[in-house]
Amino acid sequence: MRTTFACASFLGLALLAGAASAQSAEPELDASFHVALTSDYMYRGFSQTDRGPALQVGVDLAAGGYYVGAWASTVDFGDGTDAEFNLYGGYTTSAGGYDLDFGLLGVAYAGAPDRADYNFVEAQASVSRTIDNITVGVAVAYSPDFYGVDDHSTYLEANLEVAAHPRLTLSGAVGHQWLDVSGDYVTWNVGATYALTDFLSADLRYHDTDVRSPLSDGRVVLTLGAAF
């Protein structure tokens, strides 16, 4: 999952317009496209595809520190839900040697049952610092009306990334998910990403949680991605 659907897209575009008008020279607009095939779409430690593969595509626009994007993935909840769509926007900046990111994410699903309460909006913020080849970060996300039966949701994560080689990056994260109805839980992952070419990459990662269920038990996931 990657900002409200309509709200985030309009907000992001408005931010981009505001940034452009506030400067004498318009900031350069960068566009990127990405597609991935993963053996299992994992979100905070839980499979979103019933332990099966997923196809994912996305596009991002960025200018002057502001960004907006759209992303989609196949899913399988066993109830007819077959696709997830995200819209997001935000702002990135640096202060005192730290990289800051503030964003809004909106998530909606196609094929969901009429009474399913899957769609949600989430505010996100992160801070990270890079020293030599090591990046350490902390991220937090909050939703006032989260997925399914849960309303309030807070997620806190600490992450680490090491550039071990010009083409190899080692990374890991541990997070805690607080939910007001479902049980709170801890999730973690560790893995490696290898740049096969300037456009293609492969990520091999182990995911696990402290929840024992078929969708959250530990597993290794392989993801092949391309970015343009």
Side-chain angles (χ1 to χ4, degrees), residues 117 142-154 179-181:
D117 187 16
Y142 172 76
S143 175
D145 186 10
F146 196 53
Y147 170 92
V149 299
D150 293 287
D151 286 328
H152 299 285
S153 161
T154 302
L179 300 167
D180 63 346
V181 177

Side-chain angles (χ1 to χ4, degrees), residues 14-68:
L15 292 175
L16 288 173
S21 63
Q23 302 179 35
S24 57
E26 291 187 2
E28 181 180 353
L29 180 64
D30 293 322
S32 61
F33 304 88
H34 37 96
V35 59
L37 179 62
T38 181
S39 63
D40 194 348
Y41 169 22
M42 301 296 293
Y43 173 67
R44 295 179 185 170
F46 281 78
S47 173
Q48 306 297 293
T49 47
D50 194 20
R51 297 166 292 179
L55 176 64
Q56 304 170 336
V57 296
V59 58
D60 293 289
L61 300 174
Y66 297 94
Y67 63 88
V68 293

Side-chain angles (χ1 to χ4, degrees), residues 1 38-43 46-56 71-85 108-113 118 147 214-216 219:
M1 300 183 188
T38 181
S39 63
D40 194 348
Y41 169 22
M42 301 296 293
Y43 173 67
F46 281 78
S47 173
Q48 306 297 293
T49 47
D50 194 20
R51 297 166 292 179
L55 176 64
Q56 304 170 336
W71 182 86
S73 175
T74 56
V75 298
D76 182 2
F77 295 165
D79 60 3
T81 308
D82 53 17
E84 174 189 328
F85 300 95
Y109 295 87
Y118 292 160
Y147 170 92
L215 297 181
S216 61
R219 73 204 62 200

Side-chain angles (χ1 to χ4, degrees), residues 137-225:
V138 176
V140 63
Y142 172 76
S143 175
D145 186 10
F146 196 53
Y147 170 92
V149 299
D150 293 287
D151 286 328
H152 299 285
S153 161
T154 302
Y155 179 71
L156 180 64
E157 178 185 281
N159 47 68
L160 173 69
E161 183 177 288
V162 179
H165 181 272
R167 290 189 175 272
L168 178 65
T169 301
L170 308 177
S171 60
V174 57
H176 193 291
Q177 175 74 73
W178 287 273
L179 300 167
D180 63 346
V181 177
S182 305
D184 303 341
Y185 68 93
V186 176
T187 178
W188 60 93
N189 70 79
V190 61
T193 304
Y194 188 80
L196 302 171
T197 71
D198 291 341
F199 306 101
L200 301 176
S201 66
D203 182 90
L204 188 65
R205 190 162 303 275
Y206 177 79
H207 297 261
D208 205 353
T209 73
D210 62 353
V211 180
R212 299 279 67 86
S213 79
L215 297 181
S216 61
D217 286 344
R219 73 204 62 200
V220 175
V221 175
L222 175 63
T223 301
L224 301 177

